[in-house]
Amino acid sequence: MNAFEKLKELFTHFPGIGPRQAERFAYFLLSKDEYYLEELKSLLTTLKKDVAQCKECMRYFAKRADVSICPICADNTRDETLLMIVAKDNDLLTIEKSDAFRGKYFVLGGIVPILEKDPQKRIRLALLLSKIKKQDDQKAKLQEIILALSATHEGEHT
């Protein structure tokens, strides 16, 4: 398999990208100059270095010096008695843009397909339960947990 075919195959693993779209991406990259490709390569190389995962809510955020929690979790004005559980980082960002929720979040990392025999492989259930138990032991106990999951069979199953 040549580099073009490998690249197409790699793109098909992106969410929502099928074989035809993956091929379009590969042709697009072929049409770009060397500077563009070098910049893309550099960004991909540094991505994991520049982004961290929050130890509290599990969302990705731009790394800051020696900070292990995201700005949302570090915000003392947020209501710690409210916890919204979302499937992905994008869901959290969408809710944040609406400015309708001022509590804390937890990113499950996905949803559980209906036929999944081991949901622990798909979502961060153990971490969520640990977070809820830890929060219960603190003075600001959880009063409400909101499940903000998709209105699909998989979302309902999760």
Side-chain angles (χ1 to χ4, degrees):
M1 187 182 300
N2 63 26
F4 185 79
E5 294 297 321
K6 286 181 185 176
L7 191 59
K8 281 184 358 185
E9 173 65 25
L10 183 102
F11 283 137
T12 62
H13 296 289
F14 284 34
I17 304 300
R20 289 179 54 191
Q21 188 68 35
E23 189 171 61
R24 285 187 205 110
F25 286 169
Y27 279 122
F28 171 79
L29 291 176
L30 281 174
S31 72
K32 292 299 181 184
D33 62 13
E34 206 60 36
Y35 174 76
Y36 183 91
L37 296 176
E38 282 301 318
E39 186 175 7
L40 180 62
K41 178 182 165 187
S42 172
L43 289 170
L44 290 173
T45 304
T46 60
L47 182 64
K48 288 279 192 177
K49 296 175 193 165
D50 293 346
V51 176
Q53 191 169 32
C54 180
K55 302 296 182 210
E56 292 292 318
C57 69
M58 305 308 293
R59 85 176 187 108
Y60 291 103
F61 69 101
K63 261 188 196 174
R64 299 180 321 251
D66 298 332
V67 177
S68 63
I69 61 173
C70 70
I72 293 172
C73 290
D75 185 353
N76 292 331
T77 65
R78 297 192 81 98
D79 187 349
E80 293 189 21
T81 66
L82 301 175
L83 178 66
M84 182 175 291
I85 300 170
V86 296
K88 300 175 290 201
D89 287 64
N90 286 348
D91 302 330
L92 185 152
L93 294 175
T94 301
I95 293 165
E96 272 300 290
K97 284 180 187 173
S98 75
D99 204 28
F101 181 71
R102 295 298 303 159
K104 300 283 184 149
Y105 294 94
F106 186 84
V107 180
L108 276 177
I111 55 174
V112 180
I114 292 174
L115 298 177
E116 179 65 50
K117 290 181 178 27
D118 188 12
Q120 299 284 349
K121 290 181 182 176
R122 296 284 184 155
I123 60 173
R124 301 179 183 111
L125 185 58
L127 283 172
L128 173 61
L129 294 174
S130 170
K131 179 177 179 62
I132 292 170
K133 184 174 177 5
K134 178 180 154 189
Q135 185 73 26
D136 243 5
D137 295 339
Q138 295 176 354
K139 62 181 176 186
K141 294 185 184 293
L142 281 176
Q143 292 179 359
E144 187 173 358
I145 297 175
I146 302 164
L147 298 175
L149 303 172
S150 60
T152 62
H153 293 297
E154 286 86 6
E156 291 291 322
H157 180 68
T158 303

